[in-house]
Amino acid sequence: MKKTTLSIFVLLFFVLNGFAQQTKSKIIAKGATLTKLSGEYAFTEGPAADAKGNVFFTDQPNDKIYKWSVADNSISVYMDKTGRSNGLYFDHAGNLLSCADLENQLISIDKNQKITVLVNDFEGKKFNGPNDLWVAPNGGIYFTDPFYKRPYWKHTEMELPEKRVYYLSPDKKTVTIAAREFVAPNGIIGTPDGKTLYVADIGDKKTFSFKINTDGTLSDRKLFTQLGSDGMTIDRKGNVYLTGRGVTVFDKNGVQIEQIETKEPWTANVTFGGKDRKTLFITASKAVYTLKMKVKGV
């Protein structure tokens, strides 16, 4: 009887130890816990990190951009009256690009907070409402254009016939259709080598990958995963981070490797910040969070 009991304990030890090994995260830092920085906003969106690792994010209902400073872990208002900025991204010159849907535009905000309109319409028709964007290594800009009716709009219908992904050429002179046939394209992110673009069709609950050609056009559309996303980011190992019900992480082959819960009604967006780019910055409903990671963002 004693021998049998000992055997059971030995077996249980190896089973539990094996389970513990399996549950160790490949990407989250050891002992790291989700940290809530603040929960005082109406709805947070569009986090983007500058060259120093500071993260800028939007509170769109209140038309503000906030800055999380890595120097002292503080959050302050960076800019008011932002054109109803939603998704943000820094270009190679350090300008903060914004999907500003007050007037359905893509804008650039320089270090003195001077606004320049990059795109205002497509073939004379108002965009549906640029939502999220990514800057390619060549300086070209891909952005999604779904249609979410805003209470501050005078129009109630789309002027364009489809919800698409557009591409603004590196010289900022030409806008072309990059991809179409979506229900509601939303999150977008590309690989640092400029070869692959991921687009989340949140309306169809799917995320697709595309090959980026040398002229900026997209080809080889493939289903990446049967899950849509609001905002997206990517790390240096090629793992793709999708948002919605928390943060769901997939490796480059589309296999889920992590689920990060925020306990908020909706997780809108995510990026990497911090001096070493190992801090995952998450915007979720009325709050913003950070989480220490093993991996670096790009």
Side-chain angles (χ1 to χ4, degrees):
M1 184 69 177
K2 289 182 179 179
K3 189 174 182 179
T4 303
T5 303
L6 179 61
S7 298
I8 292 173
F9 275 118
V10 171
L11 179 62
L12 184 61
F13 170 80
F14 281 109
V15 170
L16 292 176
N17 186 60
F19 177 76
Q21 291 295 324
Q22 291 175 6
T23 55
K24 284 183 179 179
S25 177
K26 297 179 181 179
I27 59 174
I28 300 174
K30 183 179 179 181
T33 57
L34 196 65
T35 300
K36 187 175 183 178
L37 298 180
S38 180
E40 61 183 30
Y41 314 102
F43 190 82
T44 57
E45 251 287 8
D50 67 10
K52 295 181 180 180
N54 304 303
V55 176
F56 296 71
F57 64 95
T58 64
D59 185 1
Q60 193 188 37
N62 289 321
D63 199 14
K64 297 180 187 296
I65 295 176
Y66 287 85
K67 176 185 176 181
W68 171 63
S69 174
V70 297
D72 57 7
N73 199 37
S74 66
I75 295 177
S76 58
V77 175
Y78 174 72
M79 186 175 177
D80 199 4
K81 305 301 180 185
T82 71
R84 297 284 184 176
S85 289
N86 193 351
L88 304 174
Y89 207 92
F90 279 92
D91 68 13
H92 304 322
N95 299 305
L96 184 59
L97 308 184
S98 163
C99 292
D101 70 17
L102 178 63
E103 300 293 342
N104 301 54
Q105 299 168 328
L106 190 66
I107 64 174
S108 174
I109 305 169
D110 70 12
K111 295 179 180 179
N112 297 315
Q113 298 184 11
K114 178 184 176 182
I115 293 176
T116 300
V117 176
L118 299 179
V119 291
N120 194 50
D121 59 66
F122 182 71
E123 298 179 343
K125 294 182 179 180
K126 185 185 292 293
F127 283 105
N128 300 327
N131 187 275
D132 207 353
L133 73 162
W134 176 71
V135 181
N138 68 354
I141 303 169
Y142 295 90
F143 62 98
T144 57
D145 189 44
F147 182 78
Y148 302 123
K149 178 68 179 70
R150 305 301 190 188
Y152 41 82
W153 287 349
K154 294 180 180 179
H155 64 286
T156 58
E157 301 293 333
M158 300 190 308
E159 291 187 14
L160 292 167
E162 295 178 318
K163 302 169 185 177
R164 305 161 173 155
V165 175
Y166 293 91
Y167 176 67
L168 177 62
S169 59
D171 62 9
K172 308 298 183 291
K173 293 181 179 180
T174 307
V175 179
T176 54
I177 300 171
R180 59 203 322 165
E181 297 182 359
F182 298 103
V183 178
N186 199 315
I188 189 168
I189 196 71
T191 55
D193 60 7
K195 294 182 178 181
T196 304
L197 184 72
Y198 296 95
V199 179
D201 188 346
I202 196 170
D204 199 25
K205 299 179 180 179
K206 293 180 176 68
T207 296
F208 298 92
S209 67
F210 295 84
K211 177 185 176 182
I212 302 175
N213 301 310
T214 54
D215 61 356
T217 59
L218 303 179
S219 61
D220 197 20
R221 174 175 176 151
K222 294 180 180 178
L223 178 65
F224 177 68
T225 183
Q226 291 274 3
L227 183 67
S229 183
D230 197 334
M232 303 168 66
T233 195
I234 194 169
D235 66 29
R236 291 192 182 181
K237 291 188 175 182
N239 301 314
V240 181
Y241 297 64
L242 308 185
T243 59
R245 301 300 178 186
V247 181
T248 309
V249 188
F250 295 85
D251 67 16
K252 59 185 178 182
N253 298 313
V255 177
Q256 183 177 335
I257 60 171
E258 191 63 70
Q259 178 67 38
I260 302 168
E261 300 295 341
T262 63
K263 296 182 180 180
E264 297 287 349
W266 186 253
T267 301
N269 217 323
V270 62
T271 196
F272 279 86
K275 293 180 180 179
D276 58 1
R277 286 299 194 281
K278 283 189 175 182
T279 299
L280 194 66
F281 191 98
I282 304 168
T283 59
S285 297
K286 297 181 179 181
V288 289
Y289 294 84
T290 56
L291 180 64
K292 293 296 183 183
M293 307 294 286
K294 291 179 182 178
V295 292
K296 288 186 176 183
V298 296

